[in-house]
Amino acid sequence: MMSTLSLLVYVCSISLVLGQDESSYIVPKCCAIGETLVEQGESCIRSNLTFEPEFWSSENQNSIIPPEEIQTIDLIIGDPCLYGKYRLEPELDSGDEYHILQNGSLLLPFLQPGLLGTTEYCLESFNHSGTTMVMPLVCFPPPPPPLTFWQSVVLIVYPIGLIISIPFLVMTFVVFAFIPELRDAHGKSLSCHVFCLIIAYLSLAFVQIEGHDLPNAICITLAFVIQFSFMSCFFWLNVMCVDTWWRLTSGICTTRNLENRRFVWYSVYAWICPALIVIVTMIMDFSPTVPAAYLKPNFGLQSCWFHSDNAALPYFYGPVGLLLIFNTTLFLLCINALRNDLELVYQEDAYTLQNSELTCSTASRRVEMFKQCLILFIVMGLNWTLELASFLIKGPPQIWLLTDIINSLQGVIIFLVFVVRIRRVRLLATERLLPCFKNVHPQGRSRPKV
């Protein structure tokens, strides 16, 4: 039995432990020998419970090292947890599975971080249904440092910008979703893009304001909503770039039915791809069979978002970066295709085809579409490119304050670019949605009858 083994006691002396030979086994013990913790408590009491931890092989993590092979156990006595601790209970939750390795590390296959050192946990014996069990108690991480001045400014300015943007996004969505003349494939794509931004901004503003007070389940749900809505924004922006490139290069007049059919394929692409990314994120986050060595999102661990930038790379920043590269390539192709159209713009008059079932982009219309998509790409693409840069090179928050402000005010910019700037859209919106503004003449104030 392991109780017959010699125990070499080191009290909070990690340097001595590291100096032991490779055949020794190391474990941190919360209390002194002959003591154990009060059940889920912080104080130690005298106890006759045995302390016999099971060690797992570092080479084969599925096998337990037989007790007769263990000659010496070096104990690190003392509680290393400065901010409290919690007990792992794999018999109640399979996600709490753990393996104690020979060097004292605690391997956690389904938790993050997946490997703990001897200063991040300690072991203690507990009486579990009449059986003595040695169980680990994991230290809580230290509280986050206080916010700097610029971080506080960002936390105040960013949600204000989001709230300001939302009504402008709603107005843009109403204009392009409910005016028939604007409901071509390009207009519908813009409506979907704006709708996704509305959902993203509403969720993000709510999290920014109430994040620390939200229940964990709601926090995690909002994180997935934000991920899906922002990813959908980028896929719909990609759809608009593809549609602009197609119109510039094909020069084909299509029927409304063909245009609607093309929009259906656009919808399948722009909704299904983000959904697949979110499904993969859910599997990686919730499945107990996924090892902790993989990059798990860990929504709700520290905030209502990915627990680190590295965790966000495969599930958010990576796909966004690929879409930005794809869109940039499409714009370079569009610029090459625009050379002929720019010459035609000065010779071409606006016209309407006799067959109303046909829609054909004139050169001026194609150039205008390119301008709109280019502005939207610069506003959204450039800002998120800088966001990716901040992810890669870090730096103080004040450097990225301007991009955060512009990002939060995208709704205002989109409304100015797509509604106010374009005379045709502005007139249609005024005539169809604001009829009271049409043929309004100032009149004298009426007087009550006597």
Side-chain angles (χ1 to χ4, degrees):
M1 293 295 292
M2 194 174 297
S3 58
T4 62
L5 300 177
S6 60
L7 300 177
L8 303 180
V9 180
Y10 294 94
V11 180
C12 299
S13 180
I14 299 174
S15 60
L16 289 176
V17 171
L18 295 178
Q20 297 299 310
D21 61 84
E22 295 181 358
S23 63
S24 63
Y25 291 76
I26 305 168
V27 287
K29 190 176 187 302
C30 302
C31 298
I33 297 175
E35 294 183 349
T36 188
L37 280 172
V38 178
E39 188 76 14
Q40 295 288 20
E42 297 294 329
S43 58
C44 297
I45 59 173
R46 296 294 300 174
S47 172
N48 58 359
L49 295 177
T50 58
F51 184 78
E52 301 176 358
E54 290 182 337
F55 290 91
W56 292 68
S57 170
S58 300
E59 290 76 19
N60 183 7
Q61 295 172 3
N62 293 322
S63 64
I64 299 176
I65 298 177
E68 57 270 15
E69 294 184 11
I70 303 174
Q71 301 301 317
T72 302
I73 297 178
D74 295 340
L75 295 183
I76 304 175
I77 302 296
D79 186 354
C81 303
L82 299 177
Y83 306 99
K85 52 190 175 292
Y86 61 95
R87 191 170 72 186
L88 297 181
E89 298 181 334
E91 70 280 359
L92 301 178
D93 184 355
S94 60
D96 280 356
E97 179 182 338
Y98 63 88
H99 304 307
I100 305 168
L101 305 183
Q102 178 180 349
N103 63 357
S105 299
L106 186 69
L107 180 65
L108 306 174
F110 307 119
L111 296 177
Q112 190 70 27
L115 192 67
L116 300 180
T118 54
T119 60
E120 299 172 288
Y121 83 100
C122 60
L123 297 172
E124 200 47 77
S125 300
F126 294 96
N127 186 353
H128 185 75
S129 301
T131 303
T132 300
M133 297 184 64
V134 177
M135 306 176 74
L137 294 99
V138 178
C139 301
F140 284 113
L147 296 176
T148 64
F149 170 77
W150 288 107
Q151 288 174 329
S152 301
V153 170
V154 170
L155 288 179
I156 294 173
V157 171
Y158 195 69
I160 292 175
L162 295 175
I163 293 171
I164 293 173
S165 282
I166 290 171
F168 288 94
L169 289 171
V170 171
M171 288 188 287
T172 306
F173 174 77
V174 169
V175 167
F176 281 90
F178 295 100
I179 296 179
E181 290 85 348
L182 302 177
R183 286 179 53 81
D184 57 1
H186 195 77
K188 291 178 182 177
S189 300
L190 178 61
S191 299
C192 293
H193 173 81
V194 170
F195 176 77
C196 294
L197 267 184
I198 293 172
I199 301 301
Y201 278 20
L202 281 171
S203 304
L204 194 55
F206 186 71
V207 166
Q208 289 281 327
I209 296 171
E210 298 287 341
H212 295 292
D213 299 324
L214 289 173
N216 196 53
I218 296 178
C219 179
I220 294 174
T221 301
L222 287 172
F224 283 114
V225 171
I226 293 171
Q227 183 198 18
F228 176 77
S229 52
F230 268 122
M231 288 303 308
S232 299
C233 286
F234 282 101
F235 275 98
W236 277 112
L237 176 60
N238 180 240
V239 163
M240 294 172 66
C241 295
V242 170
D243 187 67
T244 301
W245 170 80
W246 183 84
R247 290 172 187 270
L248 287 173
T249 55
S250 67
I252 300 174
C253 300
T254 62
T255 64
R256 292 186 183 275
N257 287 335
L258 288 176
E259 187 128 322
N260 291 334
R261 191 179 304 169
R262 192 166 75 250
F263 177 73
V264 170
W265 285 110
Y266 288 163
S267 300
V268 171
Y269 165 73
W271 293 121
I272 296 296
C273 289
L276 291 176
I277 294 174
V278 172
I279 290 172
V280 171
T281 307
M282 288 181 174
I283 293 173
M284 295 297 292
D285 206 18
F286 296 139
S287 176
T289 60
V290 177
Y294 289 77
L295 280 176
K296 297 172 76 71
N298 285 321
F299 285 149
L301 185 63
Q302 296 178 351
S303 65
C304 303
W305 192 234
F306 297 95
H307 83 283
S308 68
D309 287 338
N310 289 333
L313 180 61
Y315 311 108
F316 189 76
Y317 289 124
V320 167
L322 292 176
L323 288 173
L324 291 177
I325 293 172
F326 187 23
N327 290 346
T328 303
T329 304
L330 287 173
F331 275 116
L332 294 176
L333 296 175
C334 288
I335 291 172
N336 182 58
L338 266 177
R339 289 182 298 178
N340 295 331
D341 281 348
L342 289 173
E343 297 175 1
L344 292 173
V345 167
Y346 299 101
Q347 308 171 8
E348 183 183 73
D349 294 326
Y351 66 92
T352 303
L353 296 176
Q354 293 181 354
N355 185 354
S356 61
E357 286 298 312
L358 290 177
T359 59
C360 183
S361 296
T362 62
S364 57
R365 168 65 176 149
R366 292 195 294 270
V367 171
E368 179 58 35
M369 285 175 56
F370 174 77
K371 288 180 182 178
Q372 296 171 19
C373 206
L374 177 62
I375 294 173
L376 182 60
F377 173 72
I378 290 174
V379 171
M380 192 167 186
L382 180 61
N383 275 283
W384 280 96
T385 300
L386 293 175
E387 181 77 15
L388 290 174
S390 68
F391 156 72
L392 294 173
I393 65 179
K394 309 302 179 183
Q398 58 267 31
I399 296 179
W400 313 107
L401 179 60
L402 179 60
T403 60
D404 287 336
I405 293 174
I406 296 175
N407 247 336
S408 65
L409 293 175
Q410 279 187 38
V412 180
I413 299 172
I414 289 174
F415 180 77
L416 293 176
V417 169
F418 287 93
V419 179
V420 176
R421 191 182 71 87
I422 305 172
R423 183 174 180 273
R424 173 173 173 265
V425 177
R426 186 173 67 248
L427 292 176
L428 284 171
T430 302
E431 293 174 0
R432 301 296 177 84
L433 302 178
L434 301 174
C436 58
F437 286 178
K438 185 180 180 181
N439 298 323
V440 174
H441 300 284
Q443 297 179 356
R445 185 169 53 186
S446 60
R447 297 182 179 180
K449 294 182 180 179
V450 179

